Amino acid sequence: MRKAVIIGAGMTPVGEHWRLGLRDLAVEALLKAMDDAGIEKVDSLYVGNMISGPFVEQENLGALIADWAGLGNIPAVKIEAACASGGAAVQEGVKAVLSGLEDVVAVVGVEKMTDAWPSDATRYLAYAADAEWELFHGASFVALNALIMRYYMKAYGYTEEDLALFAVNAHANGAKNPYAMFKRPIKVETVLKSPYVADPLKLFDASPVCDGAASVIITTPEKAKELGVPKEKWVEVAGMGRAIDTISLASREDLLTLKAAKVAAERAYKMAGVEAKDIDFFEVHDAFTVMAALSLEALGAAKKGEGAKLAKEGQIAIDADYPIQTMGGLKARGHPVGATGVYQTVEAVLQLRGEAPSQVPDAEIGLTQNIGGTGSNITVNVFRRV
Amino acid sequence: MARPMQVSRYWRHFREKYMLIGGKCENGHVHFPKRSVCPVCGSREIEEIELSGKGKVLSWTIVRNPPSGFEYYKPFPLALVELEEGPVVLTQLTDVDPEEIDFGMEVEVVTKKIREFEEDGIILYGYKFRPPVK
């Protein structure tokens, strides 16, 4: 079977880009990734994006971005899997390379969220929920996660303070990332003093509304050699998995198990031939602090109910056993929804190349996990240093 | 939202939203709303069942920054309610002091206004849950 390697990565800073539109962000990240790989042409483009239609009245992103990036008459499509669109787009790119149909593939994840009114942004994000049975009743995405958070705290006896540790860790790492939206450390009190958005979930338990784009170039080792890309730049896509769960929270068999993450991780681990204990760093989808805890459990880094315990025991820091969110996570780097999975990929590439601003020493294997919906659509990717 | 929704989109669910009609498969698995395929066993033999509308609060939150269209109601309590037949329903709670909501609190269904659209728009009604009226 063919192998897939990432040979180029690029991103824009995450933030409120008032002067840049969706196409500007996407093209900037894409061209940076192509320059990083030292190539001028790609066979196809996969765009990870969640809700460009409502946010900026633009669909057909494949054509828009390929056209404005000057990629010629290549195939180009948008991949949508809610907030997991970026992770899914990376996987579609890898699949195209592994199938042998395409040799050099570009993936770009992009989202432009700050062009909309805040309450409309809240509505658009809730499009990832069940429109007829959740959004109909006024559920925001934050509210759905708050229902999980309260239940999690009750089930295992955790406090708001315990979960705040995930935000503190993310900000500590994000402070060193020049591409992060929030480049300052915070304290537990900062989280606890922030206003409730949906009790018990506070503003600082949540990732921000923001803009950004990230991009990677995928090919085979043979082609990478042929293109003359130095081997230090290669990062292997060793394993990947994707799975869904019920779209509505009310239908979930167990509110506190990210079943889709579990299944996706099993597939990714099997393909890569690794186990959770082999992973040197985890980029989990901490859109909300409780999701970081549930993700660590689903990925096998912690036992059920002990995800938050890892944070309490100081095991999620850069120099600990289970470093997570090494470049700030969704919380501090920012969460431009459809772009996030590609940002995570770019960050994994930087870690495995040894170029990350807060480097995990001797990182060889890294994992990214990207959640769509309230856990309804999840991708897990495993990357390995070549 | 610039324009109100069409009646059709709302009308097709009025039985579920007014009467809590769910589904029960041949093996006795009850779910809400009704599906074509039983989410537990995969059976396609499913009959309609009217749920009692009595249940207990499983988890709850207070929505302080709602999606557009619900600003007028904020803050409002939203909950997962486990019905006595088993299914869980996402619903707003009504006629309740937010401070009194607790795990396991008994609630019952009531038909209430969910939201209105501007001027020529329709008014949406549906289920909410409240502490039982004694």
Side-chain angles (χ1 to χ4, degrees):
Chain A
M1 189 174 151
R2 286 170 41 125
K3 282 192 171 184
V5 290
I6 294 175
I7 54 165
M11 55 185 166
T12 72
V14 181
E16 293 190 13
H17 289 287
W18 288 25
R19 290 171 60 90
L20 299 173
L22 181 145
R23 79 183 68 189
D24 306 316
L25 293 164
V27 168
E28 182 182 326
L30 177 55
L31 295 182
K32 277 182 178 171
M34 290 174 68
D35 289 349
D36 183 42
I39 58 168
E40 287 174 359
K41 281 198 281 189
V42 295
D43 296 335
S44 71
L45 172 70
Y46 294 86
V47 180
N49 172 268
M50 176 176 163
I51 20 178
S52 62
F55 266 121
V56 293
E57 300 184 326
Q58 180 72 62
E59 294 293 2
N60 200 5
L61 297 188
L64 175 82
I65 296 162
D67 172 12
W68 280 67
L71 299 182
N73 306 111
I74 60 164
V77 289
K78 161 172 164 172
I79 305 294
E80 186 270 317
C83 295
S85 298
V90 170
Q91 293 190 345
E92 292 309 306
V94 172
K95 279 155 75 174
V97 167
L98 293 182
S99 75
L101 278 175
E102 292 160 6
D103 284 333
V104 185
V105 167
V107 176
V108 63
V110 61
E111 204 78 56
K112 184 79 182 83
M113 304 171 74
T114 65
D115 286 4
W117 289 99
S119 66
D120 283 336
T122 301
R123 166 163 288 272
Y124 303 153
L125 289 167
Y127 288 177
D130 187 321
E132 309 280 16
W133 307 101
E134 295 185 317
L135 181 53
F136 179 90
H137 297 281
S140 66
F141 235 78
V142 183
L144 294 170
N145 280 276
L147 292 168
I148 299 175
M149 181 175 169
R150 193 188 292 276
Y151 199 66
Y152 184 76
M153 287 161 53
K154 165 77 173 173
Y156 303 114
Y158 290 119
T159 61
E160 294 177 27
E161 200 171 344
D162 296 335
L163 290 173
L165 294 170
F166 286 105
V168 173
N169 175 67
H171 275 258
N173 295 338
K176 295 175 188 156
N177 176 7
Y179 291 88
M181 182 163 181
F182 303 123
K183 290 185 272 287
R184 68 176 67 157
I186 57 165
K187 293 178 177 162
V188 167
E189 296 78 65
T190 324
V191 183
L192 297 181
K193 278 183 189 162
S194 66
Y196 284 110
V197 186
D199 323 27
L201 201 157
K202 298 160 296 298
L203 188 66
F204 270 67
D205 283 304
S207 52
V209 165
C210 53
D211 313 320
S215 177
V216 289
I217 309 297
I218 305 162
T219 187
T220 61
E222 295 76 21
K223 188 74 182 175
K225 212 169 172 184
E226 190 187 316
L227 291 166
V229 183
K231 214 168 176 183
E232 303 84 65
K233 287 210 157 158
W234 304 6
V235 167
E236 185 192 352
V237 186
M240 51 189 206
R242 185 154 90 218
I244 67 112
D245 202 343
T246 63
I247 187 157
S248 68
L249 203 52
S251 307
R252 216 52 66 78
E253 193 184 324
D254 173 5
L255 275 182
L256 301 181
T257 299
L258 290 176
K259 190 76 185 288
K262 226 174 159 164
V263 174
E266 277 163 16
R267 290 175 183 157
Y269 287 150
K270 193 178 169 199
M271 184 173 163
V274 299
E275 296 173 42
K277 64 174 173 53
D278 303 322
I279 305 293
D280 296 316
F281 61 89
F282 295 82
E283 284 303 328
V284 302
H285 190 100
D286 61 335
F288 304 96
T289 48
V290 68
M291 276 295 149
L294 290 177
S295 297
L296 286 170
E297 296 171 20
L299 296 170
K303 287 185 191 152
K304 189 166 161 62
E306 296 189 355
K309 206 173 141 197
L310 277 193
K312 282 178 83 172
E313 291 172 349
Q315 295 195 54
I316 58 170
I318 291 282
D319 52 1
D321 285 347
Y322 298 95
I324 69 168
Q325 320 309 76
T326 60
M327 289 181 71
L330 285 59
K331 175 70 194 80
R333 179 236 295 125
H335 181 30
V337 288
T340 289
V342 188
Y343 271 100
Q344 292 177 321
T345 307
V346 170
E347 291 169 358
V349 167
L350 294 182
Q351 280 288 354
L352 295 171
R353 283 185 188 171
E355 297 171 359
S358 26
Q359 183 66 42
V360 174
D362 302 319
E364 282 189 16
I365 302 173
L367 176 148
T368 63
Q369 173 237 21
N370 196 193
I371 304 180
T374 48
S376 58
N377 205 337
I378 301 184
T379 69
V380 173
N381 293 327
V382 174
F383 302 94
R384 188 187 278 131
R385 195 166 72 191
V386 175
Chain B
M1 303 295 276
R3 306 197 65 181
M5 72 201 286
Q6 291 285 3
V7 174
S8 62
R9 186 173 167 204
Y10 166 59
W11 187 249
R12 61 175 169 262
H13 285 142
F14 85 95
R15 295 173 70 253
E16 289 95 325
K17 283 173 178 167
Y18 285 15
M19 296 153 64
L20 274 189
I21 301 289
K24 185 178 184 179
C25 81
E26 57 184 337
N27 297 315
H29 302 127
V30 181
H31 53 270
F32 177 85
K34 190 182 170 218
R35 296 175 178 233
S36 315
V37 182
C38 174
V40 179
C41 65
S43 165
R44 295 189 192 180
E45 294 296 320
I46 293 173
E47 59 173 9
E48 290 187 350
I49 173 175
E50 188 173 339
L51 298 160
S52 67
K54 293 189 195 312
K56 290 177 177 175
V57 171
L58 197 64
S59 189
W60 77 99
T61 183
I62 310 297
V63 183
R64 297 176 190 275
N65 295 62
S68 52
F70 287 87
E71 292 95 337
Y72 178 82
Y73 301 95
K74 76 175 181 182
F76 59 84
L78 189 78
L80 288 168
V81 168
E82 187 168 16
L83 301 176
E84 57 181 16
E85 293 89 348
V88 177
V89 182
L90 179 86
T91 177
Q92 284 187 29
L93 297 181
T94 183
D95 304 315
V96 63
D97 176 351
E99 296 294 318
E100 286 175 9
I101 305 171
D102 203 354
F103 295 102
M105 185 176 81
E106 289 186 14
V107 287
E108 66 180 14
V109 75
V110 59
T111 300
K112 288 271 188 177
K113 184 167 76 180
I114 302 291
R115 67 177 283 206
E116 338 181 323
F117 291 84
E118 293 155 18
E119 290 187 21
D120 52 347
I122 56 172
I123 301 172
L124 304 186
Y125 291 88
Y127 52 79
K128 290 187 184 179
F129 282 69
R130 66 180 178 196
V133 175
K134 301 210 164 80

